[in-house]
Amino acid sequence: MSSQFKLDSACPSGPIESRWDNHRFEMKQVNPANKRKFKILVVGTGLAGGSAAATLAELGYNVTSLCIQDSPRRAHSIAAQGGINAAKNYPNDGDSIYRLFYDTVKGGDFRARESNVYRLAQVSNNIIDQANAQGVPFAREYGGHLANRSFGGAQVSRTFYARGATGQQLLLGAYSAMNRQIHAGKIDMRTRREMLDLVTIDGVARGVICRNLITGELERYAADAVLLCTGGYGNVFYLSTNAKASNVTASWRAHKRGALFANPCFTQIHPTCIPVSGDHQSKLTLMSESLRNDGRIWTPKERDDGRPGDQVPEDERDYYLERRYPAFGNLVPRDVASRAAKERCDSGYGVGNSKQAVYLDFKDAIARDGEDAVRAKYGNLFHMYEKITDENPYQRPMRIFPAVHYTMGGLWVDYNLQSTIPGLFVLGEANFSDHGANRLGASALMQGLSDGYFVIPATVCGHLAGANLQPVTTSHEAFAAVEHEVREKTDKLLSIGGSRSVDSFHRELGLTMWDKCGMARSESGLREAVDKIRGIRESFWGDVRVLGESENLNQSLEKAGRVADFLEFAETFAVDALHRSESCGGHFREESQTEEGEALRDDENFCYAAAWEFQGVGNDSTLHKEDLSFDYVKLAQRSYK
Amino acid sequence: MTLNLRIWRQKDSHAEGAIESYELPGVSSDMSFLEMLDILNEQLIGKGEEPVSFDHDCREGVCGSCGAMVNGQVHGPDTETTLCQLHMRRFKDGDTLQVEPWRSAAFPVLKDLVVDRSSFDRIQQAGGYVSVATGSPPDANSVPIPKDDAEAAFDYAECIGCGGCVAACPNGAAMLFTAAKVAHLKKLPQGQPERERRVLSMVDTMDKEGFGACTNHYECTAACPKGVPIDAIATMNREYLRATFFSKEGV
Ligand SMILES: Cc1cc2nc3c(=O)[nH]c(=O)nc-3n(C[C@H](O)[C@H](O)[C@H](O)COP(=O)(O)OP(=O)(O)OC[C@H]3O[C@@H](n4cnc5c(N)ncnc54)[C@H](O)[C@@H]3O)c2cc1C
Ligand code: FES
């Protein structure tokens, strides 16, 4: 099919170090007095949306902010544990902006844009300064300076943290910055609102339709720019480490209105999560990557070794990451660590009742540093582990297994974070931009805050100053038309009156996704997945039971809308995974591996971002390719040995 | 195990609510409390009855969405545990559990176990921040902060805003919640310039929102899932007194 879009990444040229500065200099500006005339709608109040709303309001724009939860402080970002990267080089261990850039491009297995990643590394240091000035209580050394720890895929210590609650503290920082602007009347904050569609006029994003989750009313919001900061779609797998309300709805409905969706199959499966305990399981809990600073991962050397972990003697343990990857050891990137755990379990070395687990052991760290030192660093994680499993991780090794955690794919955006719909910008986990095929730990918080505090405030002016926007109000017929479609869909969901709950469909979808589109994917499995997803979608629309009314708080109805979108989106996910017959990062095609079982890229044929254009539910989407070039970090097979 | 549940059902903020009884078989001890409610809801949907509404999101004890009174106890019987982190191994076959929403004039019930906590946001909006514009701060290491101060600040900053402290307090006071922010920023040099304005404005808003007064019951700190230290309240009281003497600005 011929391309309707010319995918222009709008990346500046010239030496990589000066691209961002030059770009900002050349950007059209909005003068300070005019800023208040522009209305910006920010959907989502996580790190990306919270930081964007606060900063844009500080600059003088007229900001309206929306979120699903009852308070902006409760966005999913609150749950991030381990830390945030920055190239401060405080430990003097040889870090630099260039090294952070290099590690991130390599960590992403060469499927991200160099210009974006360099900018991310550049602003990383400003983020730490900003958060610190807000009063975020980062961990410190006795001398009073900020402490660092190590995360996967790096050989330097560049991760800043606040115990095991870094996301909470950073989000509360952004929330406090928002609060200052709400108090000043510059942000109109609307909580318990779910965006259910995007309104475009003459092809330009001009607003959204939202459901007031308390009254059920559909509301219209008009704006000069719409920012989607709505997070990732890991919950398409049903079980993931994401918060329960995390969803694809805002992105998917924007996609159906013309925004291309890039690399939907790029998913991160995190190696260290608490294993599933039974059919009742409603979500999975992460055990932060920071634990791999001190914890050692192993399985018994014998298959089906039934002994409790603490009773397996040292010489009968296989520290398989240290064995296979001596240079990085337990700190290999997530995709590598997850596959290695799967390999051990598939080969019969798994532990625990389900045999779908490996050990993460702190015995040596406790012997070396003492239990108190370990508690000071990881106390809240150990506490959480004990709550959930009823086992004491100071005495017995933790049992862990990989789980869906993060989505690198998302709406396609250019260097300005603008989607293929003019005026629609996408920030944070919802966009596809900076992490390629695998995200390194502690870089999502960095990206969300980079997008919100530093990138969008500079790039949104280009649109506002350049687009010759005519004023619109919510009485424009486009709002009425979209609202009508949303109402029809809601009414339909309530009228089916079938026999099965929304959750039962969501679980069924999740199982298919995990089996066929999880840690290992194959052509036949993916074809099967497409068929199954279509089947589940069909039975959903024929047999779902959503009780209650639309004019009231109705959590089943909310879930039903989200699951309906997951059921459409999942097909695009599987199709993307099918078309990319190479392995790269977290996308592992069984057909494409090295002799040692590592992901084997095919740069000849797949060195691009795959951006999909919607052509109707059940119809083949159109593929557009954004070719990626690597002028600084040379394309090479990744090695962590 | 099989449980006898007695759950507060209320259609909306205008309706009268009442306790409804349900028998729930098939509860596993590995389930979390919210997973137990999930299976109750599946059972209700199967019978054509509307499921129980309850706020929840992270299900790992940090977003502060969840919360209910379980047999009269905030977030149930475990200390330093949110409702989502409470596990059913804490209960036994045949137990009766009465589950009710937070009760406070400042937290009106919206539906079933869901309450309106927006008053908490308004307290934070009144001054729970450092006024620093994006892009202007100095290098993060330019002002060293003693490790102990940073750790103490964290202990206060860890508040998740669940509202359990208010629900636990016989007077429905929001002292611990408000004080946690005042004490967090008071511990750090960043918080000093706005010290007086912050405490005056936050306390004033807290009073206007209809929260009760503190008469030293300490129920709040006992119920707090994050164990926010009670000395925050003494700090806030001192700060408030100091500010009323020294503040030139008023609120
Ligand atoms: C358990 C866990 C631990 C993690 N730890 C780390 C870590 O240590 N370091 C790191 O770098 N990364 C970490 N991550 C990843 C990181 O937390 C997320 O990628 C990041 O916080 C996403 O931020 P965001 O602002 O893009 O979206 P989110 O925080 O997901 O926010 C989404 C917002 O959008 C709103 N929203 C969504 N849909 C709609 C809609 N339709 N209408 C209205 N509003 C909507 C929500 O209400 C919410 O406010 C972790 C992730 C998890 C799950
Ligand atoms: S659901 Fe987040 S704290 Fe319980």
Side-chain angles (χ1 to χ4, degrees):
Chain A
M1 207 178 208
S2 75
S3 168
Q4 179 192 334
F5 297 95
K6 175 84 190 71
L7 275 187
D8 176 7
S9 70
C11 284
S13 50
I16 201 156
E17 306 80 36
S18 45
R19 286 181 190 169
W20 177 229
D21 283 349
N22 291 342
H23 187 71
R24 280 190 295 171
F25 178 72
E26 282 159 18
M27 184 72 66
K28 286 207 178 79
Q29 298 293 314
V30 176
N31 87 50
N34 278 342
K35 287 199 169 85
R36 86 175 78 88
K37 296 185 191 148
F38 288 109
K39 239 186 153 171
I40 302 181
L41 197 57
V42 183
V43 188
T45 60
L47 287 172
S51 58
T55 305
L56 293 169
E58 279 166 23
L59 287 170
Y61 293 108
N62 190 339
V63 175
T64 298
S65 201
L66 308 168
C67 72
I68 291 180
Q69 291 79 6
D70 69 325
S71 164
R73 67 181 289 157
R74 302 198 208 285
H76 162 63
S77 294
I78 199 90
Q81 301 171 350
I84 176 166
N85 287 333
K88 285 281 195 187
N89 192 32
Y90 286 158
N92 194 29
D93 55 0
D95 203 5
S96 61
I97 288 170
Y98 197 89
R99 186 180 291 279
L100 175 53
F101 157 69
Y102 175 92
D103 287 348
T104 308
V105 170
K106 176 183 168 198
D109 216 358
F110 301 91
R111 292 293 175 263
R113 252 187 227 141
E114 280 193 332
S115 297
N116 284 53
V117 179
Y118 195 87
R119 173 176 66 189
L120 178 64
Q122 266 178 314
V123 305
S124 66
N125 293 338
N126 306 82
I127 296 171
I128 302 303
D129 298 339
Q130 188 63 34
N132 177 64
Q134 291 165 346
V136 167
F138 284 118
R140 287 176 186 268
E141 307 290 358
Y142 279 106
H145 294 121
L146 296 176
N148 285 119
R149 60 186 173 202
S150 308
F151 260 57
Q155 288 173 314
V156 294
S157 268
R158 62 160 74 101
T159 305
F160 294 79
Y161 62 102
R163 287 192 209 159
T166 316
Q168 182 201 22
Q169 295 307 319
L170 290 170
L171 183 62
L172 293 180
Y175 165 74
S176 74
M178 279 186 85
N179 280 337
R180 185 161 79 99
Q181 300 305 320
I182 295 170
H183 195 56
K186 294 190 191 153
I187 297 179
D188 177 8
M189 180 70 233
R190 307 287 179 105
T191 61
R192 296 201 195 261
R193 299 296 201 288
E194 182 163 19
M195 167 184 160
L196 293 180
D197 218 330
L198 179 75
V199 179
T200 61
I201 297 176
D202 301 328
V204 179
R206 295 312 301 261
V208 305
I209 301 294
C210 223
R211 184 165 178 271
N212 177 326
L213 299 179
I214 297 301
T215 64
E217 254 168 279
L218 295 183
E219 300 172 339
R220 306 172 180 184
Y221 295 88
D224 299 298
V226 177
L227 275 47
L228 293 191
C229 314
T230 46
Y233 50 82
N235 281 347
V236 68
F237 287 82
Y238 185 70
L239 287 182
S240 83
T241 60
N242 290 8
K244 294 294 282 179
S246 297
N247 68 85
V248 78
T249 289
S251 295
W252 185 249
R253 299 199 185 177
H255 174 61
K256 291 172 87 168
R257 299 266 168 215
L260 299 200
F261 210 114
N263 302 333
C265 80
F266 284 177
T267 322
Q268 175 157 85
I269 315 251
H270 194 294
T272 57
C273 302
I274 301 179
V276 174
S277 74
D279 293 340
H280 56 263
Q281 193 91 32
S282 61
K283 78 156 292 204
L284 294 168
T285 302
L286 176 74
M287 287 288 107
S288 166
E289 180 160 314
S290 58
L291 294 171
R292 289 198 268 146
N293 274 266
D294 287 303
R296 298 177 69 195
I297 294 182
W298 62 277
T299 54
K301 282 186 179 160
E302 286 297 316
R303 285 202 172 83
D304 297 318
D305 185 325
R307 289 172 292 181
D310 53 336
Q311 287 169 30
V312 178
E314 197 56 32
D315 61 345
E316 293 173 39
R317 299 173 169 204
D318 175 17
Y319 294 94
Y320 58 86
L321 289 177
E322 298 169 30
R323 168 170 61 77
R324 286 179 64 179
Y325 308 99
F328 282 71
N330 291 294
L331 285 172
V332 290
R334 293 174 176 176
D335 53 335
V336 176
S338 290
R339 274 198 292 279
K342 179 177 183 323
E343 185 280 326
R344 283 293 82 187
C345 295
D346 288 352
S347 312
Y349 297 93
V351 302
N353 291 339
S354 66
K355 304 280 176 212
Q356 292 293 303
V358 299
Y359 288 127
L360 174 62
D361 200 336
F362 294 86
K363 179 172 65 76
D364 295 347
I366 291 173
R368 185 183 66 229
D369 304 333
E371 192 171 312
D372 285 345
V374 170
R375 180 171 286 113
K377 279 196 216 164
Y378 311 117
N380 73 323
L381 299 171
F382 278 47
H383 179 76
M384 201 145 65
Y385 182 86
E386 188 165 2
K387 279 274 157 221
I388 293 172
T389 62
D390 207 24
E391 283 174 18
N392 179 346
Y394 295 98
Q395 286 160 12
R396 299 172 62 177
M398 286 183 177
R399 286 174 296 109
I400 48 137
F401 197 67
V404 174
H405 179 61
Y406 180 89
T407 51
M408 284 76 69
L411 291 179
W412 185 91
V413 290
D414 65 11
Y415 188 70
N416 295 318
L417 305 182
Q418 186 163 230
S419 71
T420 49
I421 300 177
L424 179 71
F425 294 79
V426 191
L427 284 65
E429 192 172 340
N431 74 27
F432 90 111
S433 57
D434 299 353
H435 308 294
N438 171 62
R439 177 174 71 77
L440 290 184
S443 59
L445 303 184
M446 171 171 73
Q447 183 225 329
L449 291 177
S450 158
D451 287 358
Y453 282 136
F454 299 108
V455 179
I456 199 70
T459 60
V460 78
C461 334
H463 168 68
L464 297 175
N468 188 22
L469 294 162
Q470 301 304 315
V472 290
T473 67
T474 55
S475 49
H476 190 285
E477 60 191 13
F479 280 89
V482 177
E483 184 185 311
H484 178 73
E485 284 179 46
V486 170
R487 179 162 289 118
E488 279 193 325
K489 183 159 183 175
T490 311
D491 291 347
K492 174 88 201 288
L493 286 167
L494 284 164
S495 70
I496 297 168
S499 69
R500 286 178 59 188
S501 71
V502 177
D503 275 0
S504 77
F505 286 103
H506 197 177
R507 281 176 197 273
E508 189 183 352
L509 173 67
L511 282 176
T512 300
M513 294 300 289
W514 181 246
D515 281 352
K516 309 290 177 202
C517 309
M519 271 188 285
R521 302 161 174 181
S522 68
E523 177 167 351
S524 60
L526 290 164
R527 288 194 191 285
E528 234 179 280
V530 172
D531 286 345
K532 281 197 169 176
I533 293 162
R534 289 183 176 163
I536 303 170
R537 193 165 64 222
E538 213 166 287
S539 48
F540 174 89
W541 284 104
D543 196 23
V544 73
R545 171 181 285 190
V546 184
L547 300 166
E549 307 143 1
S550 62
E551 304 81 24
N552 195 336
L553 174 60
N554 187 337
Q555 294 176 328
S556 304
L557 181 62
E558 293 168 27
K559 280 197 275 190
R562 293 173 202 151
V563 172
D565 291 331
F566 278 136
L567 284 166
E568 293 177 6
F569 166 70
E571 185 174 334
T572 307
F573 183 123
V575 165
D576 182 44
L578 185 60
H579 111 282
R580 192 175 283 274
S581 59
E582 66 162 353
S583 294
C584 57
H587 171 65
F588 190 70
R589 283 289 299 264
E590 287 170 349
E591 302 91 335
S592 180
Q593 48 182 305
T594 65
E595 271 172 22
E596 289 149 323
E598 306 291 348
L600 181 62
R601 284 201 327 266
D602 174 359
D603 294 327
E604 194 84 11
N605 293 303
F606 289 100
C607 198
Y608 60 79
W612 298 91
E613 181 186 353
F614 185 73
Q615 300 290 2
V617 178
N619 297 337
D620 292 345
S621 303
T622 309
L623 174 63
H624 302 269
K625 299 177 183 177
E626 181 199 336
D627 289 323
L628 298 170
S629 62
F630 293 88
D631 303 328
Y632 289 85
V633 188
K634 288 283 157 276
L635 275 167
Q637 183 69 33
R638 266 189 329 165
S639 170
Y640 291 95
K641 297 191 188 291
Chain B
M1 60 182 120
T2 298
L3 295 174
N4 302 306
L5 298 171
R6 293 169 48 79
I7 300 187
W8 183 262
R9 302 303 308 262
Q10 182 174 333
K11 191 171 163 30
D12 56 37
S13 52
H14 311 294
E16 295 258 320
I19 295 278
E20 298 278 339
S21 297
Y22 307 97
E23 189 185 85
L24 185 65
V27 177
S28 130
S29 56
D30 286 335
M31 283 178 185
S32 70
F33 197 89
L34 300 188
E35 285 167 346
M36 182 276 291
L37 290 180
D38 290 341
I39 64 158
L40 170 70
N41 280 343
E42 288 294 297
Q43 175 179 309
L44 292 177
I45 293 167
K47 289 198 287 195
E49 291 174 39
E50 245 202 272
V52 179
S53 297
F54 58 93
D55 268 328
H56 65 102
D57 202 19
C58 73
R59 296 200 173 196
E60 46 187 73
V62 67
C63 75
S65 295
C66 70
M69 305 299 288
V70 180
N71 290 343
Q73 286 177 294
V74 169
H75 292 296
D78 284 0
T79 51
E80 296 200 10
T81 304
T82 53
L83 194 65
C84 58
Q85 293 292 77
L86 177 65
H87 277 68
M88 298 313 291
R89 63 179 76 92
R90 193 69 172 69
F91 304 99
K92 56 182 192 313
D93 188 45
D95 276 358
T96 298
L97 302 183
Q98 177 140 329
V99 189
E100 291 179 82
W102 295 157
R103 301 289 186 191
S104 158
F107 291 163
V109 175
L110 296 172
K111 183 170 185 175
D112 299 340
L113 305 176
V114 178
V115 300
D116 178 352
R117 288 173 290 203
S118 52
S119 47
F120 264 17
D121 284 329
R122 288 188 290 273
I123 293 174
Q124 296 297 334
Q125 287 156 17
Y129 44 78
V130 172
S131 298
V132 50
T134 305
S136 55
D139 184 87
N141 260 352
S142 58
V143 180
I145 298 175
K147 183 178 170 67
D148 290 346
D149 287 355
E151 295 292 327
F154 183 98
D155 288 340
Y156 303 122
E158 211 184 352
C159 166
I160 59 174
C162 63
C165 49
V166 175
C169 177
N171 308 332
M175 289 291 276
L176 190 62
F177 170 77
T178 310
K181 187 51 62 186
V182 170
H184 156 211
L185 293 175
K186 146 101 200 321
K187 264 284 171 211
L188 299 173
Q190 297 92 311
Q192 301 312 311
E194 294 165 287
R195 198 169 154 187
E196 290 89 13
R197 294 180 63 171
R198 174 177 310 116
V199 69
L200 292 175
S201 175
M202 290 181 79
V203 169
D204 184 52
T205 305
M206 178 183 86
D207 291 342
K208 285 193 185 127
E209 290 290 341
F211 291 100
C214 173
T215 47
N216 301 324
H217 287 268
Y218 303 138
E219 295 289 346
C220 50
T221 192
C224 176
K226 293 294 152 182
V228 169
I230 190 73
D231 64 15
I233 294 181
T235 300
M236 182 165 82
N237 286 335
R238 263 198 319 276
E239 286 295 290
Y240 186 79
L241 212 60
R242 183 182 167 280
T244 44
F245 282 126
F246 293 120
S247 174
K248 296 180 197 74
E249 294 178 55
V251 183

